[in-house]
Amino acid sequence: ANAATNDVCPARGGYALYTGGQEQECTRRISLMGDFRQAIEQNELLLYCQPKVDIASRRVCGAEALVRWQHHVHGMLPTIEFIKLAENAGLITPLTHWMLDAVFSQSYAWHEAGIEQALSVNLSAHDLYDPMLVDRIQGLFSTWNVNPELIQFELTESTLMEEPSIALETLTKLKKLGTRLFIDDFGTGYSSLSYLQKLPVDSIKIDQSFVMPMEADNDSAVIVRSTIELGHNLGLEVVAEGVDNQVVWNLLATLECDVAQGYLIGMPMPAEQFSDWEDKWVRMSV
Ligand code: C2E
Ligand code: MG
Ligand code: MG
Ligand code: MG
């Protein structure tokens, strides 16, 4: 295997895009990443969004922007898997740029349609090393004239741990633009409290691996409860992701978790469907 092959096929395994022999699998990943370079130009990427709601009031408080890849041959590809491939192949920067363009133009379209909802963009570790990232975002704010409060960023705990000083620097700049920052997949990254306390973040999102089983598994319930307390003690808003049933919603309400996101509330959907979803949600909530 040459260096390029190793790059795209790390010995991590776990990808389920295709089944087949290991060598065949590697060849497919490489060709898929070749396709990915063109996917952007051929309009194969789609912006989906998944609602977030305030638990106490049931008010809609934004949506997470999630990329989808509708491959011309293979159909819709699992996001988590092609994101990992793109990260390993050094292709996250063009993806992030595409996403930022899509999110700003969507935010503008929503504004024109009278919808004032925040959209949060997921950033990968590699984005933090992109010296042009903050300038690009600043440029998009002036181009689209979007309210800074309506564009948010999500960074996983492990992304923030990779290069703490660069993370702090980039987050500080993003915060200066007036955006809201989330620590994503909280609880999975082993970060130290003293480090977290230094970061200019507004919210933490408790990872779905703790939220989903909390109804049946006492350890998960304890982790969720202490994370909510911790977040509140640090003055942060707490979001639970992966809320997929009413029992979990009720538990989170009792624990005074602030915001919920998950299949119970709404699946990720094309941005054009958001306002229909919102109408239904409001009707269900009265
Ligand atoms: P994430 O940021 O933690 O996003 C939440 C994921 O959980 C989404 O998967 C969402 O569909 C899923 N989810 C939400 N609620 C539920 C639920 O109730 N049940 C279940 N089973 N799943 C739920 P998705 O869209 O496949 O994205 C997976 C990951 O890919 C994201 O995790 C994020 O890390 C990454 N990702 C997605 N879009 C982007 C992007 O534009 N840029 C970057 N860098 N990463 C992205
Ligand atoms: Mg996220
Ligand atoms: Mg998450
Ligand atoms: Mg997650």
Side-chain angles (χ1 to χ4, degrees):
N2 60 29
T5 311
N6 283 332
D7 226 5
V8 197
C9 305
R12 291 190 190 164
Y15 302 126
L17 275 177
Y18 302 101
T19 50
Q22 209 180 340
E23 210 168 309
Q24 216 181 343
E25 169 76 13
C26 270
T27 314
R28 279 165 169 163
R29 283 185 204 157
I30 292 164
S31 106
L32 201 59
M33 281 303 101
D35 294 352
F36 186 72
R37 296 170 198 271
Q38 284 156 30
I40 297 181
E41 290 141 48
Q42 288 165 0
N43 283 324
E44 289 185 2
L45 298 188
L46 303 167
L47 169 64
Y48 270 44
C49 60
Q50 186 182 32
K52 302 177 189 174
V53 300
D54 182 88
I55 296 176
S57 68
R58 297 182 63 88
R59 277 188 41 190
V60 183
C61 56
E64 175 169 12
L66 295 160
V67 70
R68 293 291 180 265
W69 181 5
Q70 177 77 53
H71 189 281
H72 54 282
V73 176
H74 306 299
M76 203 69 108
L77 297 175
T79 299
I80 192 79
E81 293 170 8
F82 77 75
I83 291 281
K84 275 187 205 152
L85 285 182
E87 281 174 345
N88 291 323
L91 292 173
I92 275 296
T93 305
L95 169 75
T96 301
H97 290 178
W98 181 87
M99 224 21 206
L100 286 169
D101 289 344
V103 159
F104 273 86
S105 110
Q106 187 59 54
S107 184
Y108 179 81
W110 275 356
H111 176 77
E112 292 291 289
I115 303 168
E116 302 288 342
Q117 287 297 347
L119 276 166
S120 61
V121 181
N122 290 285
L123 296 178
S124 294
H126 203 81
D127 293 316
L128 296 178
Y129 310 125
D130 176 359
M132 297 307 290
L133 179 79
V134 177
D135 285 351
R136 180 175 278 266
I137 293 167
Q138 195 164 17
L140 286 164
F141 273 120
S142 21
T143 304
W144 293 100
N145 199 22
V146 165
N147 177 352
E149 282 167 23
L150 296 182
I151 304 292
Q152 314 178 328
F153 296 97
E154 301 192 5
L155 298 104
T156 66
E157 208 186 343
S158 35
T159 289
L160 295 171
M161 290 304 287
E162 219 167 273
E163 199 63 69
S165 62
I166 294 176
L168 177 60
E169 198 185 314
T170 308
L171 264 56
T172 305
K173 289 182 188 159
L174 289 173
K175 202 62 220 155
K176 280 211 183 103
L177 296 178
T179 65
R180 193 177 176 85
L181 305 178
F182 294 76
I183 302 182
D184 206 349
D185 299 354
F186 190 84
T188 61
Y190 312 102
S191 50
S192 79
L193 287 180
S194 62
Y195 170 57
L196 287 181
Q197 213 191 354
K198 289 196 192 98
L199 293 173
V201 297
D202 305 280
S203 307
I204 53 180
K205 296 184 80 173
I206 308 175
D207 193 64
Q208 55 192 42
S209 63
F210 304 112
V211 176
M212 284 175 167
M214 71 180 287
E215 151 193 16
D217 173 40
N218 190 51
D219 288 351
S220 302
V222 168
I223 291 171
V224 171
R225 193 183 65 214
S226 3
T227 308
I228 294 169
E229 273 171 27
L230 167 71
H232 287 166
N233 288 338
L234 292 172
L236 303 172
E237 176 197 70
V238 181
V239 182
E241 62 177 27
V243 180
D244 64 3
N245 72 71
Q246 191 62 48
V247 177
V248 168
W249 170 287
N250 296 344
L251 287 169
L252 292 166
T254 308
L255 296 173
E256 296 182 29
C257 184
D258 303 293
V259 173
Q261 177 183 348
Y263 294 175
L264 174 73
I265 299 131
M267 301 278 292
M269 63 190 94
E272 310 83 66
Q273 291 172 17
F274 193 80
S275 106
D276 282 349
W277 169 84
E278 197 176 8
D279 290 346
K280 278 192 207 116
W281 175 261
V282 170
R283 262 182 275 130
M284 257 171 56
S285 301
V286 289

